[in-house]
Amino acid sequence: TSLLDEEGNQDESLESKALSAEDQVKDHSTGTRVVAGQIFLESEKSDSQSEDEENFHNQEEEKENALEELNSLEMSNLLNKDLEEAEIQSPVLTAIGGTADGEPCRFPFLFLEKEYAECTADGREDGRLWCATTYDYKKDQKWGFCETEEQSNKRRQMQEAEDVYQTGMKILNESGKKAQKKEAYQYLLKAADMNHTKAMEKVSYALLFGDYLKQNIQSSKELLEKLTEEGSPKGQMALGFLYASGLGVNSSQAKALVYYTFGALGGNLIAHMILGYRYWAGIGVLQSCESALTHYRLVANHVASDISLTGGTVVQRIRLPDEVENPGMASGMLEEDLIQYYQFLAEKGDVQAQVGLGQLHLHGGRGVEQNHQRAFEYFNQAANAGNSHAMAFLGKMYSEGSDVVPQSNETALQYFKKAADMGNPVGQSGLGMAYLYGRGVPVNYELALKYFQKAAEQGWVDGQLQLGSMYYNGIGVKRDYKQALKYFNLASQGGHILAFYNLAQMHATGTGVMRSCHTAVELFKNVCERGRWSERLMTAYNSYKDGDSNSAVVQYLLLAEQGYEVAQSNAAFILDQKEASIVGENETYPRALLHWNRAAAQGYTVARIKLGDYHFYGFGTDVDYETAFIHYRLASEQQHSAQAMFNLGYMHEKGLGIKQDIHLAKRFYDMAAEASPDAQVPVFLALCKLGVIYSLQYVREINIREVFSHIDMDQLLGPEWDLYLMTIIALLLGTIIAYRQRQHQAIPRPAGLRPNVPQQEPPPEHQPPQ
């Protein structure tokens, strides 16, 4: 599927229930609920609000033990729901024209032996909606239109736009080829021209990021302004981003905050995440941990409910600065030839290669696309060879179900049992889940606990997580928050996203631990950064690798707004290298400085050193050696950076931003050499230079004549020192004479006088010039 609006996929968890309603719309050839005096399209907006409300109240149930009171966002949503309910309770609809003009519509009514509970276009060629004003239309022939002709035309146009949009989305979702995706966007462009809201959202994002359409920020801005006027939360969030980053508009943090807030009120998860980061870091608002917690928790609830128990999607955090500095450094990506090598081994029957490839294709990541079909094939091959790990993963695939593998508790149980009997922790954890939830077997908490303990003892994260949950909820065991905390911590060390989520909830509510807003926010932030929108990190990286720096920098800037430190440093790096032409040359360094600053605040060492460099050289700011010194010192003390230590040594040596001190300079140089082997050569050169400087200073400070006058050669070299000196001079003279004689003997003779036996020539450096 396209990653154009990947955040939309997650965001549409708010809209997921609307899909079935839209399908019903097609069956009945109508809009949605009809409300007197309203254009039918407006009820679409009402639907999305109700969906937001359902999700909001689900989230409220999940955090029923939370300490904080309803905040202003929640009050606003409750108010919207009350207004909407009042609207639904009064569906008075009056017939327009026909044989019963002005009379109220009667629902249900009978037409052609079928009951209709809403207006219909059946029986009319022009597609206009009508209703009967009595129960039996055939008997009384009393009817009228439910809409004016103008409303009818508008509804039909929107239906046509919806059909075009659905055609485009079908091509987009079913195709993996770039050419077909571009074709899909032509349909979406057409639907957007017909003012279809979702198509406009897709197209505006495509124009913003340069996904399958040529990047055009100005056109994107115009579409986003139109969407914002219509009240689209996605449009509001994206327009806020343009104002925050100053793309296509003059930068305005105040306007950005307004649009982000409206987007969040409309239920946009990205907007909530951005506001969470802004309140956490104090960007454009007063720093407020509690406000950040409210926003991050709301997003984390959706991310946690969206992922399966496999630990969530793999997020590739590739840092462009590190990749340039250390080209050989493993970025976590697998090279194509390495994947082919593993495939070759798997085909030859290498069981470990089959299991490894199966896991890669099951979860995706490391440059390999998620592909359940291939995962299933690899696991099957390895399971047939008797591999317990493959059996357990086949059990997981059958337990969870997918398009490729039909959900089957019985089959899953068979595989889990086989794997567990061989002592496999994944199989044991799977059996534990079966007994915990009664999947294919009767519920048995004791057995579930037993299997989870076995899996946890072997370090399997799912086992640790479920064991923690049983202790937390008191299922099958006495409730014990300390034990729950222990197992959640163990699972979080293995990177399980739900473990981070559970720990965050415990810290947020003070359950089993001292309440800590700061810790809860950091944990919730970690959960939020594992949402589906994190896949844009890879699309941005691929855009950069393909040479499209403009597209990459815009994508990284949006992710940077969401609080991704990797995106902040990558955006700063692209700006630092002046590779993005969409940003004016005068603005590159100040913007890069801003994002280096945000990345440094999140603990990235390279960003902290870059801040020192910018202040040292005056990039994007005034030259300020004292500030540069502070940043270098922070990098040195907090992250033990060899580069920072070396720079501090240099500043002490030169007396820049600090009093000159050669002894301290030597100390920092030595520390840099100890901190990193790579620093040893530059440190050696710097120390040599420092030695020369120190010697010159020492010579300057003393009187040479006085030194020589105080030297007693008899005492220093003994009474016969002059004889030793004369012997050394004689030896040197003899060596020079012998060397000169050998050179004269080596002069080549004329060709006619050469003997027949060839003589060995001396090396070229000993030959005289011809």
Side-chain angles (χ1 to χ4, degrees), residues 394-401 406-409 412 416 433 439:
L394 279 174
K396 279 179 85 72
M397 291 188 80
Y398 275 109
S399 176
E400 290 169 6
Q407 203 281 334
S408 168
N409 287 332
F416 283 144
M433 293 292 285
R439 294 174 184 168

Side-chain angles (χ1 to χ4, degrees), residues 11-47:
D11 197 21
E12 282 167 18
S13 59
L14 295 172
E15 299 171 25
S16 57
K17 295 176 187 172
L19 297 176
S20 56
E22 286 176 11
D23 292 340
Q24 290 172 2
V25 166
K26 292 176 190 171
D27 295 339
H28 293 281
S29 306
T30 181
T32 47
R33 291 186 301 277
V34 183
V35 182
Q38 287 193 359
I39 297 173
F40 296 101
L41 302 173
E42 289 188 2
S43 58
E44 200 171 295
K45 180 176 167 185
S46 172
D47 277 350

Side-chain angles (χ1 to χ4, degrees), residues 17-253:
K17 295 176 187 172
L19 297 176
S20 56
E22 286 176 11
D23 292 340
Q24 290 172 2
V25 166
K26 292 176 190 171
D27 295 339
H28 293 281
S29 306
T30 181
T32 47
R33 291 186 301 277
V34 183
V35 182
Q38 287 193 359
I39 297 173
F40 296 101
L41 302 173
E42 289 188 2
S43 58
E44 200 171 295
K45 180 176 167 185
S46 172
D47 277 350
S48 68
Q49 286 175 346
S50 68
E51 289 146 18
D52 290 352
E53 292 309 315
E54 284 177 41
N55 278 275
F56 173 73
H57 288 292
N58 288 340
Q59 184 259 334
E60 278 299 292
E61 287 168 20
E62 290 172 10
K63 57 172 188 173
E64 58 188 347
N65 294 324
L67 298 179
E68 62 192 67
E69 297 175 352
L70 286 172
N71 58 43
S72 59
L73 297 179
E74 295 162 352
M75 292 302 290
S76 169
N77 281 338
L78 288 169
L79 181 63
N80 286 344
K81 175 147 186 160
D82 291 342
L83 290 171
E84 185 181 272
E85 283 174 352
E87 204 175 46
I88 294 165
Q89 286 165 7
S90 56
V92 179
L93 187 65
T94 306
I96 302 167
T99 59
D101 184 33
E103 293 180 25
C105 288
R106 167 75 159 81
F107 296 113
F109 64 87
L110 190 68
F111 173 63
L112 296 179
E113 299 180 1
K114 180 182 173 184
E115 280 195 344
Y116 290 86
E118 58 189 355
C119 296
T120 180
D122 291 358
R124 293 194 64 85
E125 291 181 359
D126 61 2
R128 280 186 74 179
L129 295 172
W130 64 277
C131 69
T133 56
T134 60
Y135 175 72
D136 193 340
Y137 167 79
K138 187 176 180 182
K139 177 186 170 188
D140 302 317
Q141 297 284 311
K142 300 280 280 181
W143 68 278
F145 292 112
C146 296
E147 57 188 358
T148 63
E149 196 167 350
E150 184 185 346
Q151 289 172 331
S152 174
N153 290 336
K154 191 169 183 181
R155 179 179 56 78
R156 284 201 297 274
Q157 280 175 4
M158 286 311 292
Q159 187 57 52
E160 187 187 343
E162 177 66 23
D163 293 341
V164 174
Y165 170 75
Q166 291 298 342
T167 305
M169 288 305 294
K170 190 179 179 187
I171 297 170
L172 195 63
N173 293 330
E174 291 178 0
S175 169
K177 292 180 180 176
K178 198 169 182 180
Q180 287 177 306
K181 286 185 184 286
K182 283 185 175 180
E183 181 194 342
Y185 272 99
Q186 295 309 309
Y187 282 101
L188 295 177
L189 271 169
K190 187 180 175 185
D193 289 340
M194 297 161 79
N195 293 328
H196 187 283
T197 304
K198 286 187 177 178
M200 285 163 68
E201 288 172 351
K202 285 275 185 190
V203 170
S204 63
Y205 278 58
L207 291 167
L208 181 61
F209 299 129
D211 286 344
Y212 309 113
L213 290 175
K214 189 180 178 184
Q215 191 176 34
N216 188 329
I217 290 173
Q218 200 57 40
S219 299
S220 175
K221 186 199 82 164
E222 288 165 10
L223 272 175
L224 291 171
E225 283 174 341
K226 197 172 179 182
L227 283 165
T228 299
E229 285 171 16
E230 291 179 11
S232 160
K234 283 184 194 170
Q236 290 163 339
M237 183 281 293
L239 193 59
F241 163 64
L242 290 185
Y243 277 106
S245 53
L247 294 171
V249 291
N250 290 327
S251 180
S252 168
Q253 297 305 318

Side-chain angles (χ1 to χ4, degrees), residues 9 72 79 112 149 208 297 335 354-355 530 704 720 725 740:
N9 291 345
S72 59
L79 181 63
L112 296 179
E149 196 167 350
L208 181 61
R297 177 191 268 166
E335 296 291 335
Q354 290 166 349
V355 174
R530 296 280 284 275
I704 303 239
E720 287 89 20
L725 186 61
R740 293 291 293 171

